[in-house]
Amino acid sequence: MSIVCGLPLLECVYCLACARWAWKRCLHTAGHDSETWGLSTAQEFEPVPRICRYILAVYEEDLRHPLWEPEGGYGINPDCLVLKRIYEDTHAQAPPYLLYLDHDHADIVLAIRGLNMAKESDYAVLLDNKLGQRKFDGGYVHNGLLKAATWVLDKECDTLKELVEKYPNYTLTFAGHSLGSGVAALLTIVVVQNRDRLGHIDRKRVRCFAIAPARCMSLNLAVRYADVINSIVLQASCYYLLLVWFNQPTPLEDIFKSLFCLPCILCLRCMSDTCIPEQKMLRDPRRLYAPGRLYHIVERKPFRCGRFPPVVRTAVPVDGRFEHIVLSCNATSDHAIVWIEREAQRALNLMLENDSIMEIPVKQKMERQESLVKEHTEEYKAAMQRAVTLSVPHAYSPSPYGTFDEHEEGEQSDKSSSTGSSKRSTKKGESWGELVERLFDRDESGHMVLKKSPRAD
């Protein structure tokens, strides 16, 4: 066709598609994805800068003589440090981490460091995944990160159980940055699914903070566990965008093995991002997303120079969940844990300053805290309902009848037996609506009739 017409039609169409994609990406900033979200409060965002400092402390060899502590220090009492694992201790199974007993905030914190670009073991964890390779709890997860998470739980299970039972009023927090954020998020899910291993810990005591989150779980899991997992993104994190390649049919390891393949993959990604509608991407159960509730720190505006006072927006999005590649010269710095800690602290200081100017009474603050919990619960349920409306695979809406206990699916039959932590969870409670649907059918006249052979749990 190109020879007959005398014009390179295919080349022109390709160039126009690439130009359209580049134009959209240049105009599209990270702030556009969260412009409709609500603003975060100081109460819910308060742990984030502190958690970032705990993760930074993992990089230190000796916390009593720190070399790279941020302004104000790490806020860690070395005497309350329970343990610290380095690469020699993890045997290339997981990134280094520490376990800290935070008495000031009634918290048990397991903090995991990010990707070390000089360590092959971290790359082995990162590249141990293919599209749709690992099913877990009715969805898909990153295979290498799940293996690392189960290894950490097996290694520290006894210690965590002892601390949880010794301090029953303390929360259990898993935190990580970059590669460690994916390990922490999946570790949280594994713990929630196997709470009996930690002395039947209440789900409300478990939480996770994923800093510069990795795409590690399918959309239905990302929304379902939004009540326990919180992801923090600074403007446009490059690692968050890098792991978009895990959603492509070509494995990431093949891209690293062949430089010749990289331009081809970039072209394919360019075309697919332009032509594939978002509704179709949402219906692909194998695509991986950032987990849980998202907190987006926005500090730059389009066509503006310099940094502005940071604003923190939060939501549990289903569609529009940072699905577009953003071209930004600050992507690398936005991913750095040092910058995230600094901007998170600035944002928190601004929130506290505004609260002090308004002079909110203590009673109103307590009422606001209670209403905030209620708002998050309603937003969480709305997100689950939204996922069902958009036909997200394996998504289900919360029952309008309520439940006696928490609903747990416990579909863990596909977990590897070699990890030693595969224990099928069972439902402790069941809603009236689910009970009726399980035991009864409707006849032609619309009356409820008992099923002939009801399935026993």
Side-chain angles (χ1 to χ4, degrees):
M1 179 66 71
S2 299
I3 298 176
V4 173
C5 299
L7 292 173
L9 292 182
L10 294 178
E11 290 80 356
C12 290
V13 172
Y14 173 75
C15 291
L16 287 175
C18 292
R20 177 178 177 269
W21 178 84
W23 175 252
K24 289 173 63 178
R25 296 287 74 79
C26 289
L27 291 180
H28 185 90
T29 62
H32 289 159
D33 290 318
S34 61
E35 58 186 357
T36 60
W37 299 2
L39 296 178
S40 173
T41 63
Q43 290 78 10
E44 60 180 311
F45 194 72
E46 180 273 331
V48 174
R50 171 166 48 88
I51 293 297
C52 290
R53 289 190 285 270
Y54 293 166
I55 297 174
L56 280 170
V58 184
Y59 293 79
E60 293 281 1
E61 294 184 2
D62 186 1
L63 286 175
R64 297 186 183 276
H65 303 89
L67 301 177
W68 305 290
E69 62 178 344
E71 182 179 355
Y74 294 112
I76 286 183
N77 182 0
D79 296 330
C80 297
L81 186 66
V82 180
L83 58 87
K84 188 173 184 292
R85 306 291 188 193
I86 58 177
Y87 281 105
E88 286 74 12
D89 300 320
T90 60
H91 305 291
Q93 300 297 317
Y97 57 90
L98 62 79
L99 183 60
Y100 177 63
L101 194 57
D102 187 357
H103 293 292
D104 295 335
H105 300 91
D107 199 5
I108 304 169
V109 183
L110 194 150
I112 308 172
R113 67 158 288 165
L115 175 70
N116 187 343
M117 302 186 71
K119 285 290 183 179
E120 294 183 1
S121 59
D122 283 2
Y123 285 105
V125 174
L126 176 66
L127 300 178
D128 185 13
N129 187 69
K130 293 181 180 179
L131 188 66
Q133 178 178 353
R134 174 58 71 92
K135 287 186 177 181
F136 182 82
D137 193 21
Y140 290 87
V141 297
H142 187 284
N143 183 58
L145 296 178
L146 179 62
K147 287 182 179 179
T150 53
W151 185 91
V152 173
L153 180 59
D154 292 338
K155 180 75 173 178
E156 312 301 344
C157 181
D158 294 337
T159 304
L160 290 174
K161 182 180 180 181
E162 180 183 351
L163 293 176
V164 166
E165 293 178 344
K166 184 177 181 180
Y167 301 97
N169 296 324
Y170 283 28
T171 55
L172 177 60
T173 301
F174 301 104
H177 167 250
S178 184
L179 182 69
S181 68
V183 178
L186 294 179
L187 177 58
T188 303
I189 294 181
V190 174
V191 168
V192 169
Q193 290 291 330
N194 299 273
R195 288 179 295 162
D196 56 318
R197 298 190 64 186
L198 299 183
H200 298 280
I201 183 174
D202 188 0
R203 176 172 177 146
K204 296 180 180 179
R205 292 178 60 190
V206 182
R207 63 178 182 174
C208 170
F209 289 94
I211 313 297
R215 293 172 178 258
C216 57
M217 62 184 68
S218 55
L219 185 56
N220 63 321
L221 298 179
V223 175
R224 188 189 310 168
Y225 289 95
D227 60 326
V228 292
I229 301 178
N230 307 281
S231 294
I232 293 85
V233 179
L234 173 61
Q235 199 74 26
S237 171
C238 68
Y239 194 77
Y240 184 91
L241 300 177
L242 171 64
L243 288 185
V244 75
W245 300 113
F246 285 132
N247 293 323
Q248 302 303 312
T250 305
L252 185 61
E253 57 184 335
D254 295 340
I255 300 176
F256 278 94
K257 290 178 181 178
S258 176
L259 293 178
F260 174 77
C261 190
L262 183 58
C264 301
I265 298 300
L266 290 175
C267 292
L268 290 175
R269 177 58 185 166
C270 169
M271 297 295 291
S272 64
D273 191 60
T274 303
C275 302
I276 299 178
E278 186 175 4
Q279 294 295 332
K280 185 176 181 180
M281 293 189 292
L282 289 175
R283 293 190 178 97
D284 186 356
R286 303 169 301 170
R287 291 181 63 86
L288 304 182
Y289 294 80
R293 169 176 288 274
L294 295 179
Y295 290 87
H296 193 198
I297 306 174
V298 182
E299 60 172 3
R300 293 190 302 275
K301 300 180 181 180
F303 307 109
R304 305 282 184 89
C305 297
R307 296 177 181 267
F308 289 79
V311 176
V312 182
R313 303 168 184 165
T314 181
V316 186
V318 180
D319 46 343
R321 199 178 179 92
F322 293 120
E323 276 306 290
H324 298 289
I325 292 181
V326 178
L327 301 179
S328 173
C329 59
N330 301 102
T332 304
S333 61
D334 288 344
H335 175 69
I337 182 67
V338 176
W339 272 108
I340 297 176
E341 185 274 332
R342 190 176 304 173
E343 295 303 317
Q345 187 62 56
R346 284 184 59 200
L348 178 61
N349 292 339
L350 289 174
M351 295 180 195
L352 296 174
E353 183 179 345
N354 292 334
D355 289 348
S356 62
I357 292 176
M358 297 175 64
E359 297 181 352
I360 303 176
V362 177
K363 183 178 179 180
Q364 291 187 7
K365 288 184 178 180
M366 296 177 63
E367 293 176 352
R368 173 55 183 160
Q369 185 68 24
E370 294 177 357
S371 64
L372 181 64
V373 175
K374 185 178 180 180
E375 290 173 4
H376 279 197
T377 303
E378 293 176 352
E379 189 176 8
Y380 168 66
K381 293 180 179 179
M384 296 182 67
Q385 182 62 49
R386 175 67 173 168
V388 175
T389 304
L390 294 175
S391 301
V392 175
H394 310 296
Y396 63 87
S397 59
S399 173
Y401 300 96
T403 57
F404 295 111
D405 288 303
E406 296 171 356
H407 177 80
E408 296 176 4
E409 292 196 353
E411 299 173 1
Q412 291 181 285
S413 58
D414 53 348
K415 291 171 66 178
S416 173
S417 59
S418 61
T419 60
S421 63
S422 300
K423 293 187 177 181
R424 177 179 292 272
S425 298
T426 58
K427 292 187 293 184
K428 294 183 178 180
E430 186 175 30
S431 67
W432 284 108
E434 293 170 346
L435 180 63
V436 170
E437 291 177 0
R438 181 167 60 86
L439 297 180
F440 295 90
D441 276 333
R442 290 187 181 272
D443 57 13
E444 296 179 355
S445 61
H447 297 290
M448 302 295 292
V449 295
L450 186 66
K451 290 182 179 180
K452 294 183 179 180
S453 56
R455 178 180 61 85
D457 284 337

